[in-house]
Amino acid sequence: MKDGKHLTLAIETSCDETAVAVLADGRIILSNVISSQIDVHRVFGGVVPEIASRHHLKNLNLVFAAALDEAEVSLQEIDEIGVAPGPGLAGALLMGTAFAKAVAFAAQKPLVAVHHIQAHIMANLIEHPELRPPFMALVVSGGHTHLIGVEEYNRFRIWGKTRDDAAGEAFDKVARVLGLGYPGGPRIDEVARQGDPDAVPFKRVYLEKDSLDFSFSGIKTGVINYLHTQKQRGHSVNVQDVAAGFQMSVVDVLVDKAAMALEQSGYRRLVLAGGVASNSMLREKLRAACKRNGTELYIPSPILCTDNAAMVACAAYHKQRLGLFADLYLDVWPGLSIETGLALLDAKSHN
Ligand code: KG4
Ligand code: ZN
């Protein structure tokens, strides 16, 4: 039942999760249904784009019906349809975007297009209603490692970003060379708990003094070299120690650069976002660092860190408040950057 609430239904299909959510007043989750394809892709050691698209097509109707059902609302009661047309896998994005447009057209509802990374950041607003811009966001996902100043709900400034691999990409690559399988990030998180992070130290790359950029591409080579050397010397490898050492080196850099970004920008609030935000070591070290320097820290529950549609609904809710609606010509943008993406989507929006 609507009960005078503002209802946003959103769809998310950027990678291998088919997700639909219904959010009330931009922060009360009425439903957040996620159909994961992890088991389908595991045998291939990673996401196969074509298979992901096919599964979205197969699952979308069911997930959509389940989301409305669980929320106990009808499509007619929904105020707008949100979707993230990029960035992500082209075929996967097409499925969700076409579905969102079809629903918007059939039910005569406004359509709101949001940037996938904007949605990851906005996930924090769901559980922390007191949180408002401005704040600094550390975004760590499979494709992004960015320090973003959120000046307003729809105005971002990039303070730093990775020059090569994203943090999640590094986790996935290192998990593969360690034979931990897919999905790599959660496997390293799990295995590292039994390891000693100081047993096998890896290099921390800070780049130039005061730089807020990141570089994680060398770390996979560091792990491969270590594994080769151990093999040549006839020594065994303690996978738990290597996973713990690798994880610690990535987390140390993320935490230090986030602290530097706060200092350089003057922001007193830090928000963590993206799939890697569910990493237990990162959460723990960031909490300790923020406690030490008096920074307010916001971290979403793990279910809101990895891809989900509640975060898209939250971002869509705030965009519709600004009167920014998309039309049925909305296309997908697989490579939509966070630097220019918000403005690009706004240019395609109308009041
Ligand atoms: O945000 P997300 O779900 O998708 C993208 O937008 O990219 O992030 C996925 C990334 C993957 O690289 C995955 O390995 C990583 O997040 N990840 C983790 C953990 N859970 C997911 N990395 C480290 N520790 C975790 N617990
Ligand atoms: Zn994501």
Side-chain angles (χ1 to χ4, degrees), residues 241-271:
D241 285 347
V242 177
F246 156 75
Q247 180 174 263
M248 201 66 242
S249 70
V250 173
V251 167
D252 274 349
V253 176
L254 291 172
V255 171
D256 291 345
K257 295 256 174 178
M260 282 165 62
L262 289 162
E263 209 175 293
Q264 288 183 26
S265 64
Y267 288 130
R268 314 246 350 124
R269 279 175 295 186
L270 178 68
V271 151

Side-chain angles (χ1 to χ4, degrees), residues 137-148:
L138 172 61
V139 178
V140 271
S141 72
H144 290 76
T145 302
H146 277 59
L147 280 159
I148 301 175

Side-chain angles (χ1 to χ4, degrees), residues 14-15 17 116-117 120 140-144 167-169 171-172 183-189 247 274-280 305-307 311:
S14 66
C15 190
E17 256 94 35
H116 179 80
I117 294 301
H120 270 299
V140 271
S141 72
H144 290 76
E169 202 176 346
F171 269 90
D172 294 337
R187 289 289 292 130
I188 289 196
D189 194 353
Q247 180 174 263
V276 186
S278 50
N279 182 267
S280 52
C305 290
T306 39
D307 290 346
M311 66 182 196

Side-chain angles (χ1 to χ4, degrees), residues 104-127:
F105 178 69
Q108 289 297 295
K109 301 288 177 187
L111 184 65
V112 184
V114 304
H115 192 288
H116 179 80
I117 294 301
Q118 181 178 24
H120 270 299
I121 295 172
M122 293 299 160
N124 282 279
L125 272 61
I126 298 175
E127 291 176 309

Side-chain angles (χ1 to χ4, degrees), residues 48 51 53 59 89 126 149-150 234 238 247 276 284 306 327-328:
V48 183
I51 295 178
S53 311
N59 296 337
L89 301 171
I126 298 175
V150 177
N238 183 320
Q247 180 174 263
V276 186
E284 184 189 317
T306 39
D327 59 31
L328 296 176

Side-chain angles (χ1 to χ4, degrees), residues 185-245:
R187 289 289 292 130
I188 289 196
D189 194 353
E190 199 184 313
V191 167
R193 282 182 206 142
Q194 276 92 51
D196 172 5
D198 299 318
V200 191
F202 291 102
K203 231 170 98 179
R204 279 97 169 122
V205 179
Y206 284 93
L207 303 168
E208 307 81 33
K209 188 178 176 293
D210 295 333
S211 170
L212 295 177
D213 284 349
F214 301 89
S215 171
F216 293 117
S217 70
I219 197 139
K220 187 187 82 174
T221 320
V223 174
I224 292 174
N225 288 345
Y226 172 78
L227 297 178
H228 278 164
T229 312
Q230 289 299 96
K231 200 173 166 192
Q232 273 169 357
R233 291 179 182 160
H235 295 167
S236 63
V237 170
N238 183 320
V239 172
Q240 284 99 331
D241 285 347
V242 177

Side-chain angles (χ1 to χ4, degrees), residues 174-187:
V174 167
R176 200 167 305 145
V177 299
L178 287 177
L180 293 174
Y182 164 85
R187 289 289 292 130

Side-chain angles (χ1 to χ4, degrees), residues 302-317:
I303 191 70
L304 293 177
C305 290
T306 39
D307 290 346
N308 65 87
M311 66 182 196
V312 177
C314 181
Y317 171 80

